[in-house]
Amino acid sequence: MERLQKVLAQAGVASRRKAETLIVDGKVKVNGQVVTELGTKVSRADRVEVQGVELVKEQFVYYLLYKPRGYISTVSDEKGRKTVLDLLPMIEERIFPVGRLDFDTSGVIIMTNDGDFSYLMTHPKFGIQKKYVAKVKGIPEREALKKLERGIELDDGITAPARVKMQSFDKKTGTALVEITIQEGRNRQVRRMFDAIGCPVQKLRRESFAMLTTYGLNAGEARELTTHEVKQLRVLAETGKIG
Ligand code: URA
């Protein structure tokens, strides 16, 4: 459910301010009834008319982007940094990233204009697994990895259980590659988890988001998700398993 003035603005009818005026002036109908209250919420199922003309609903679109390092995963940036939208200039729908990856993190990120789908993919209660490979400074002990697995105290609380696997380590450089799969998506979570065991992340890449990987894409490239993949992701979030 979205506020009526937001829906009007997103459909390109008018700016948010002008949309509010249209509503207050009685120019907007929802399911045939004039609505003048600004807080009114509507869903996609509601028929919205502005001065007798029905609003055209934007089709939902879903893309898998291989985010390179050096892009911020928001739709705009006050510091003028490049955003993930700069990588998808040909897409006309108002897409936004599903969850976030740090400026310096690369890997799989979904872009969509479907807010409900985004919620299913990001709320930890739906359990969507995200796998990362972290290059860390130091070679974590088994016990430290176990701590990450069980849950570790961060300043915003203890983390949910994770799957952790040492991929390789290099004694000469004193670094290790560690795979970590989490279902939460707190701000800079993986980096903070490794900081908490004294092995700061030097490089971070999201290998997979549920069953999606960057397979077939170069950094900076995107592809549309298939209808089947979108359905699989929904089923996964809603039931905890695919098919
Ligand atoms: N955890 C992080 O620390 N950074 C990311 O970009 C994603 C998860």
Side-chain angles (χ1 to χ4, degrees):
M1 300 284 270
E2 297 271 22
R3 291 164 85 85
L4 188 53
Q5 55 268 45
K6 185 172 173 193
V7 171
L8 296 182
Q10 284 188 342
V13 169
S15 66
R16 189 83 66 103
R17 276 277 270 318
K18 272 227 172 106
E20 288 177 356
T21 312
L22 286 169
I23 296 169
V24 173
D25 290 350
K27 303 273 171 54
V28 181
K29 282 185 183 169
V30 177
N31 302 324
Q33 300 285 316
V34 172
V35 166
T36 53
E37 197 144 326
L38 286 180
T40 306
K41 290 201 164 173
V42 290
S43 77
R44 263 179 97 75
D46 291 314
R47 193 165 52 81
V48 178
E49 273 172 75
V50 181
Q51 292 170 308
V53 178
E54 192 173 340
L55 229 69
V56 180
K57 292 186 186 105
E58 198 176 66
Q59 288 295 311
F60 286 143
V61 292
Y62 309 86
Y63 292 87
L64 187 165
L65 170 67
Y66 181 171
K67 178 193 172 300
R69 270 177 273 284
Y71 285 79
I72 184 154
S73 58
T74 52
V75 292
S76 64
D77 182 46
E78 74 279 3
K79 292 189 201 150
R81 290 174 294 183
K82 288 178 288 186
T83 79
V84 282
L85 279 191
D86 293 324
L87 295 162
L88 298 157
M90 62 300 183
I91 293 159
E92 286 171 3
E93 290 82 4
R94 294 164 157 265
I95 53 172
F96 54 84
V98 171
R100 66 191 151 212
L101 286 181
D102 300 334
F103 185 75
D104 282 327
T105 303
S106 64
V108 184
I109 190 159
I110 299 177
M111 306 283 297
T112 186
N113 54 349
D114 183 345
D116 292 341
F117 175 81
S118 177
Y119 177 69
L120 278 179
M121 295 302 108
T122 50
H123 196 292
K125 75 178 173 191
F126 298 115
I128 296 289
Q129 308 273 320
K130 279 89 65 176
K131 181 160 104 186
Y132 298 85
V133 174
K135 180 180 179 198
V136 302
K137 188 164 168 16
I139 302 170
E141 303 276 337
R142 261 179 98 84
E143 192 40 41
L145 297 181
K146 282 262 171 281
K147 264 193 206 160
L148 294 180
E149 224 161 42
R150 285 193 292 260
I152 195 158
E153 189 71 43
L154 300 180
D155 52 14
D156 53 359
I158 195 152
T159 59
R163 281 207 306 277
V164 183
K165 193 172 140 205
M166 174 81 85
Q167 266 191 359
S168 62
F169 58 86
D170 182 341
K171 281 193 175 152
K172 252 198 260 153
T173 56
T175 58
L177 281 182
V178 186
E179 216 176 87
I180 177 161
T181 306
I182 59 174
Q183 61 186 57
E184 297 172 291
R186 304 190 211 168
N187 195 22
R188 299 179 72 80
Q189 180 166 343
V190 173
R191 294 176 197 273
R192 291 191 291 130
M193 287 172 81
F194 281 100
D195 280 343
I197 59 161
C199 294
V201 169
Q202 292 183 333
K203 225 173 176 186
L204 189 61
R205 184 184 136 77
R206 181 147 78 189
E207 287 279 306
S208 63
F209 185 102
M211 73 294 181
L212 302 173
T213 69
T214 57
Y215 179 79
L217 297 173
N218 292 313
E221 289 180 347
R223 69 167 176 88
E224 230 176 315
L225 292 185
T226 64
T227 314
H228 185 63
E229 285 171 327
V230 174
K231 205 161 177 191
Q232 278 186 315
L233 288 167
R234 275 189 207 285
V235 170
L236 186 61
E238 282 161 1
T239 68
K241 46 185 186 290
I242 298 179

